[in-house]
Amino acid sequence: MKKINLAVALLSLSAFGSAVYADVTLQSKDEVQGAWKLQYTKNSLADKQSIDREDTWVFKDGKVTILHIPREGIYYDQPPVNYDVEDGKLKVAIIGGSRFDLFTVVEKDDKNMTLKGKFGNYYYFNKK
């Protein structure tokens, strides 16, 4: 009997856990509009080690500009690139070509946003 109760409890937790991380479907570009400070990234949700970040992503008028990117002791700003919402996901152009990065919005409210990149990396933002 205890084994059955334990199995039911674990099944319930796993169902609840998957609901917590349900993706957010974007309806328009306006939902991400503004400046978002990238706090840190992780290689997966279960990864205990995070990588601190210093850049800010500014979404404005269909363009995203990444500011204050550290490289070799200095900082630089990336030129603006186009972004769009396609099938509920954030589609960001890559500089110098017709390629793009596709991000799934894992979590979003007025002050925080978590994106998942196409290779499984997670990006944790705070609204500026």
Side-chain angles (χ1 to χ4, degrees):
M1 186 68 158
K2 288 183 181 182
K3 288 182 182 179
I4 291 173
N5 288 340
L6 179 61
V8 169
L10 289 174
L11 183 61
S12 298
L13 285 174
S14 67
F16 176 73
S18 63
V20 170
Y21 293 109
D23 296 339
V24 175
T25 303
L26 293 177
Q27 302 299 321
S28 75
K29 294 187 230 183
D30 295 336
E31 293 179 66
V32 294
Q33 189 100 344
W36 295 88
K37 170 84 170 93
L38 182 55
Q39 298 296 317
Y40 60 93
T41 60
K42 285 184 169 186
N43 290 329
S44 71
L45 279 178
D47 194 357
K48 293 183 183 192
Q49 183 175 353
S50 62
I51 300 166
D52 291 335
R53 298 289 295 263
E54 300 179 40
D55 37 319
T56 299
W57 296 24
V58 181
F59 294 90
K60 183 178 177 183
D61 300 327
K63 304 252 184 215
V64 60
T65 306
I66 301 176
L67 306 172
H68 200 69
I69 304 167
R71 180 175 288 168
E72 299 176 6
I74 61 170
Y75 295 92
Y76 73 98
D77 297 341
Q78 174 183 300
V81 294
N82 294 328
Y83 79 93
D84 207 348
V85 171
E86 188 173 286
D87 297 326
K89 298 182 180 195
L90 187 61
K91 183 178 178 180
V92 178
I94 296 175
I95 292 178
S98 59
R99 298 178 314 165
F100 60 89
D101 279 329
L102 196 60
F103 297 93
T104 301
V105 181
V106 176
E107 185 175 49
K108 185 183 173 311
D109 59 31
D110 292 341
K111 296 181 181 186
N112 300 295
M113 175 170 66
T114 303
L115 300 179
K116 179 182 178 187
K118 62 183 172 183
F119 297 113
N121 294 27
Y122 286 81
Y123 300 77
Y124 296 86
F125 294 89
N126 290 336
K127 186 94 180 225
K128 282 184 96 176

